[in-house]
Each structure stands twice: as C-alpha cells, then as structure tokens.
Amino acid sequence: MSLKKFKTNDIILNTMKTHPECEFFVFDGVVYYNNSPHPHSGAFSANVLNVSPGFISLYEYNIDKSKDINPFIYPFITKDSSGGSFKTAVCSQKNGVIADNEWIVAVPGEPLYGTYPQTASITRELLGQPTGSATAGTRAKMYTTGTAEDGTPTSEPTTVSGVQIYSEPTYRHYWSLRNRLNNYEYMSPHFAITGSLVGPNATGSWWDPASPMRGGVEVSWIKDQQIINLISIPSIFYGSTIKPGTVSLKWYFTGSLAGELQDTKQNGELIQVSGSSQGFASHAVGSDGTGSVAGVVLYNEGFILLTGSWALNDETIPLVKDDTDSYSPSWRYFGAGTQDGVTQATTATAFNSASFSLSFKGTTETQVMTMFANAKRGEVNYSNNPTFLEYGQDVLNKTSSVVYEENSSRLIKNTVSSSYTDYSASFKRQVYVSRVAIYDESRNLIGLATLSNPVLKEEDQDFTFKIRLDM
Amino acid sequence: MSVKNFESLNTNTDTTTTRTLLHEAIPLTGAIVSGTYGQEASEDNVKNFTHGMFQSVYDYPYLSSSANHIFDITMGYHSTSPFSSSASEQNAKKINMYNEFAQVLLGYTGSANDIEIFESDLDFGDNDNQMKSCYFINFSRLLTKDQIKKGTFNLVLSTGSWAQGITAPSFPSGPNITLTDVSASATAGTNTKGNGGEYGVLYNNDFPNGTGYGLVFYQAGIAIITSSVWDTVAQNPGAANFYRRHADGFVQSISGAFTGSAISASCDALRHRMCNISFNNTTEINSSIYFCRASHNKFNYSTNPSYVSGSKIRVKQIATDNPVTYITTIGLYNSSNELLAVAKLSEPLKKTPENELTLRVRLDY
C-alpha cells in the first residue's frame, strides 16, 4: 500500500445539476404519480406501501405492514434538555388527559413518538365559491358589540383610525402567498395582486367582467376578488426549484385534450398553447383562449395559481365538491379531484369526463468531488498482500529479546503471464491494483474506491484513477 | 438608535453543539421470513446465490421494486468444531464463513495470529463458553442505521421440534424462547475490544441462570446464535428434529443441518424457527446551536421597504414614540458577509427598545 498526497490540481469540486421529471395524472379523484399503477396488495395490507395512490412514501420501509399482525416501524426520541422534538408531535394521552402536543405532556426521559409512513403528494384548493360570494381574499369583518340607549344590543364594524379591522381570512394559504406574488411582479405583471390600470384604449377585462375597482379606478384584476385554483407541489417532487419552461398542464374532456398551459416564456406565466378551437369570439386574445395567460407558477415555492375562467369547450359537467351544478371546463377547475374531496360521490357521475395532467421538471444540485489518484511509473509497484511473495519463505531472519529482523531476501512471486507452455516468463515487477483508499490528514481511512476489475500495473506504466464522490 | 442589523457571534459564548439520538422501533414479524411469501426453499422474498455462501432476506418478494433488504443469513463453524470434517457438506465454505466473521468482528490472538473464537460472554480472550458453530444474521444498514440500541434486541426462537413451528407457545408452556441483550446498556454490559465495535451477550431470557447463547454487535448490526441453543434449552429440545427438508421430507438433527446440509438449507431451517425479531436502532443527529442576542438598543429598525412611508417610520405616530419592529427571519453569515443559512420564526416577534431577545437557532446535520 502506497500513501500519496493529493496535489491542488488533483481534486476538483463541481456541482451536478439534474432535472428529474414529474408527472401527475388525475382522474376520478385519484392521482397517479409518474404513471405508476396502483400499489398492489400484499399478505398483510391492501396496499403494500400503505400510502394512498399518488403519494410517495418517505424511506419506503414499512412494506406490507398492518397495525396488529405485522406492526409498523416507528421513530421516537427521548425528551431531554436539547429540546429535540418531532415537527408533528403525536397527540397523546396521559392520566386521562388528551393533549394535542406530547412535548408538553412528556417529562424528561420519556419518549416522544412519531409515525411512519411519512407521505407527500400534490394538493388542490379551490379558493372561492363559483356560486357564492366568497373569493380568494375573503375575510370576515370584525364587529364590536355594544348596547344602544334603549338597551338593545348593537354590532358595529370595528375600525382603527377609520380603517376596517378584519378577522382571519377564509383562505389562509392564499394570504400567505400574497407577498410572494407581489415580489415576483418583476418577472411578469401577472403575478401582481392588483393588475394594471385599464388604459383609455382598453375595452375591458375579458377575464373578469366585473371590472374590479381599486381606489375608484378600474384595474384589470384584483386577485383578492377572484376565484383562484391553487395547486401545491411539495418540494420532495422538484428539489430546489421547478425548472422554468418545463411546466405543462393539460385539461382532458372525455379523453380529448381541451386545452394545455405551458410556461413558454419561462417567466412564470402559464400561457394556453392549445385549445379545443370550438370558437369563443368573446376572448380577447385567442378564439379559444390560446395565447391567454391563465395563471402563474411560483417556481421556487412549488405553487401554481390558476385564475383563467374562460370555457375550454361548450360542455358542462359538475366540478365542485358538494355541488351538483354543472360548470364549463376552465382552468379554475383544473386538477379537480386532487386531494380536494371532489369525486363522483361529492358531485355527480359526469365528473369522470374530466381528467388532468400536470408535468414539470425539478432541479436538484449535488456537490461532486472528483479526485485524481496518480500512480506514476516506478510507484505503486508493491503489495502488502501475503500472496505477493513466493509461498513458503521464512518471514523472519532473526528474532530474540533484543533483535527482530525480517528476512530481506524474500522473493516476489512472478505473475507475468507466459505465452508458451512449460515456460515461465521472465520476472517483471507488476501489481494488480484493486482498490484506492482515501485517507484524511491524520491517516484515518475515510473512503474506499473498489475497481470493478483489478488493473494490471507494470513498473513502467503511468496510471490515473478518477474517483468521483457525490455529496 | 442603532440601525446595524449584523451582530458577530462569539464562538465561546454564543455557540454550542448538541447531539440528539433518534431511534426507530424495528419489529420484524417471523412469519414474513418463514412462509408468508411462498413455501419453504422457494420463498419469493428469500434470495439464494450460486456461490451458496449466504442467503438474503427481504421484507417483500424481492422482484418487486418495493422490497427492502432486511438481513442476510449464513452459518459456519470453526475448524476445531466437532462439525468440521472433510465429509461435511460445504465444509471449507462453512469454516471460511466462520473465520471471516471472527476476523472482522473479533480479530486475532497469539504469536501465530490465530483467529479469535466467538464466546457467549463478554471476554473473548479467556477461551471459555466458546461458540464454535454459529448462525450469523447480518442486518441491513437500512434497519440498523448508526447502530442497534443497546438493551433492545430480542429474538424469539423456536427450540422445539420442527413440526411445532413458530406459532408454538413460549416458555415455560412451550418451546419458544427469547434471546435478549437485556443486560446491555449505554454504560455497561458490553465489550468494546473487538474489531467489530461493541457487542453484548444474547441471554436466554426464559432461564434466570443467564446462559448466553449468542452475541449482538451493535455498530456492525450482526447477531450471532450458537447452534447449542437447540441442544440444551427448553422443555422439548429440537436437536433431533431440527429441520425437515422440504424437497424430500428428510428430518435432520441440528448436527445434521450443520454437517449434512448446504448453507442455504441450514439457513432455511433457522428462518423457520424465527418467531419474531425486534430492536431499536439509533441515528445520531448532531446540531449546532447559535444564540442570537438582540439587546434592547439593537434590531429596532427594519430595512424592509414597507417599514417607512414618506420617509417616516410607519409604526410611529408621534416623534417620541419608540420604534417597533417584528423579527421574522434570522440570517447566518460567514466572515465575508455571505449569507449561509436562514432561520424563519413561526410567528413574528415584537422587538422594541424596551425588551431584549435571545433567539436560539439550531442547525441539524
């Protein structure tokens, strides 16, 4: 074994960027991830992964488990002063008191439990009610109750310095994204919560006939007043960011493509690139919505917000949970059935005419260390393997209480292959390199690279072994 | 009022490190390794190899992408074992297998560098309680993680006749016994001198005399069971009726399984005697903790554009009002003022000149 030190140019650090592709297909309230079929049933469980279709299971090692017969693997830690706890504490019961946070209930030294499998999938929320007055930004006004002079109770809107005070919003997920939407306005004006002023030549906003007003001036839109279709994508599916230009949303009606959105400008705008071309003269941009912006995608955060309300064809089907009314297929109903409770049972049988596809590429960055281990001629030509020497030679030359001397005349076994029978080739010094070990500065073994096949190195050969380490 | 938003961390007083041990309870139901996924010798979750030196066991039929490798089983004996004979099936491989485990886990002894022999006690140098013929169960790193938690390993074994199977009652009403490292703990009951890390003794929990019948190596994730467990324990020893070969119905003793059967067949026999296995694993999570201190006269101003309106601080009604900020984010910078990490608060914290805050930022890795 030879120890050699890496030089400056022998170690290279790179970042490997990959773009894994994800596709979700939604049909009849069931999500299919990357065209995977439904997990099959096992001996103990009806679903060997123990997760719903469309979900992925972190670690995937509770396979074919059931609660009683083949119990689940579960994590736990011990409560101590370091304050470690699971992000989602399990509801527990102690002394007959049900607590919603076991951290509060447990005393130091007691275990805090978690559960597997941990799962993730896309979800859809319809922010607003198509048949009601609720919109994405709906908030209830706060009221101050009092008593009138005649003793009757009163209720007046609560104001501070003349400004109305509101209670918590109906759709909190939308409100948490408002700042991010405004932040990305530099990429596209379609991110803005409040659209641009309607200019003197504008004929009105086709995608919000109500012509929203702000400060007494007509603007092209106010997202607070719109019905928004919010699709949330957990980061485990896309890594650090969704790759711009790869997002595609397809709306299928009875199996035929009714419309497709793509972020062709790579700026977050989701532009309709194809439609069913059945003629919609009222659309300002395209006859069937083609070319119109139906929503935006937040690449870094993994959210898609769709506001496009134009009809994609002239059919109507039920698309809203607990609502048997029929609606024209539009982008605000894209993904209906994605963990949002919309099924045939909560709408009507005709809901199964709709199906949806969402695809995109993610981005992952992996730090890669490339090391070049040089074995120059005249180097790395000896092995500590006992078989490197001729068999049967004395190891020691002399040993006593004061002397320890190895046999210095031991012979190296000649491994040179001869081309002729009954003829031994002339001795040449050569080794077979089978492994390259990496040591730290203290000579601790920290890595080992094993070659698929040992490489013959003769004394007059230069070799460089390229070792790659993904971190 | 200071508007400085960077504060240097004192590495002596503002940072510390801590370690959290994350455990997982791993229950392995014996049925899944002995018949759930197929008949003996042709189970879909057990993979045998042409080299015949060990067999791999999965938690589900291994042709499925969902299957996880859970452990390998092999067996072997020392060259001085009574089972060692040139007439024994795969004699050399069984000796080699024993030697390989002993070399890796225990090491060598004496001037001749002889390979150590496993012993069912904590002193492998005293040459008593030697285990010269053993089964080796090599658990997957997926299950053991950094190490098996000491004092949590349990293996319920069937020691009766093969016909009684794994569903027989436990001792004392039946032949099933529990081997456990109950005497091992984080501070005692283990040996740390072997090459393979710490190990504890697997005692027969059903006999109070504390006879050891195996070892468990915590960091290596390997359990070793001596063949004598079927010779000496339980009411109905299975030594004579250890294994019924599926192919021809031939019944073998424990001795016959070690000498007259291939390694794979002997491993089949052991699997069909595993009633249950359970242990807890351990993963070390190291953390750095940064105490970010906001004294009363600092961090009372924000560079957020929305903090001012018309060159006036929004939150001040009159000039004498104290400024107020809401802390939402903490950025950790290196010495070159490059942002390395960002910590978000679950909810904004109000900061005024009248209060001081210490925010504890924890970085796990």
Side-chain angles (χ1 to χ4, degrees), chain B residues 236-250:
Chain B
N236 187 12
N241 300 296
F242 181 69
Y243 175 48
R244 179 182 180 274
R245 207 156 56 197
H246 180 73
D248 54 10
F250 179 67

Side-chain angles (χ1 to χ4, degrees), chain B residues 278-321:
Chain B
S278 66
F279 57 86
N280 297 341
N281 68 25
T282 302
T283 305
E284 287 187 14
I285 299 171
N286 294 296
S287 308
S288 288
I289 295 174
Y290 302 94
F291 294 98
C292 302
R293 307 181 199 281
S295 60
H296 70 95
N297 59 347
K298 292 179 179 173
F299 299 102
N300 296 318
Y301 183 81
S302 171
T303 52
N304 192 318
S306 64
Y307 193 65
V308 291
S309 175
S311 300
K312 293 180 180 177
I313 297 176
R314 276 179 191 270
V315 291
K316 292 177 68 168
Q317 300 295 322
I318 56 176
T320 54
D321 279 351

Side-chain angles (χ1 to χ4, degrees), chain A residues 40-44 48-49 60-61 63-65 69-77 81-84 86 116, chain B residues 18-27 29 31-32 36-37 59-60 64-66 68 142-143 145 280 360 362:
Chain A
H40 41 281
S41 61
F44 303 102
V48 295
L49 293 178
E60 270 195 19
Y61 62 0
I63 301 299
D64 198 13
K65 296 278 189 176
I69 307 170
N70 190 17
F72 285 81
I73 297 170
Y74 61 88
F76 65 94
I77 58 175
S81 58
S82 68
F86 292 106
Y116 290 149
Chain B
T18 184
R19 191 185 65 164
T20 302
L21 298 179
L22 170 67
H23 303 292
E24 289 172 329
I26 310 289
T29 304
I32 68 166
T36 295
Y37 299 112
D59 60 358
Y60 195 65
S64 165
S65 61
S66 302
N68 295 307
L142 177 77
L143 298 185
K145 298 289 173 63
N280 297 341
R360 184 174 176 269
R362 176 173 159 158

Side-chain angles (χ1 to χ4, degrees), chain A residues 128-186:
Chain A
Q129 297 170 335
T131 54
S133 58
T135 58
T138 297
R139 292 181 299 170
K141 290 180 180 177
M142 287 186 71
Y143 288 87
T144 303
T145 56
T147 308
E149 288 182 359
D150 60 359
T152 57
T154 61
S155 180
E156 296 292 333
T158 308
T159 59
V160 172
S161 302
V163 177
Q164 173 67 49
I165 303 299
Y166 292 90
S167 62
E168 67 177 28
T170 305
Y171 303 106
R172 286 180 292 177
H173 290 172
Y174 165 73
W175 278 83
S176 67
L177 291 173
R178 288 176 90 247
N179 279 346
R180 299 308 292 165
L181 288 167
N182 274 330
N183 185 51
Y184 286 125
E185 196 178 341
Y186 72 91

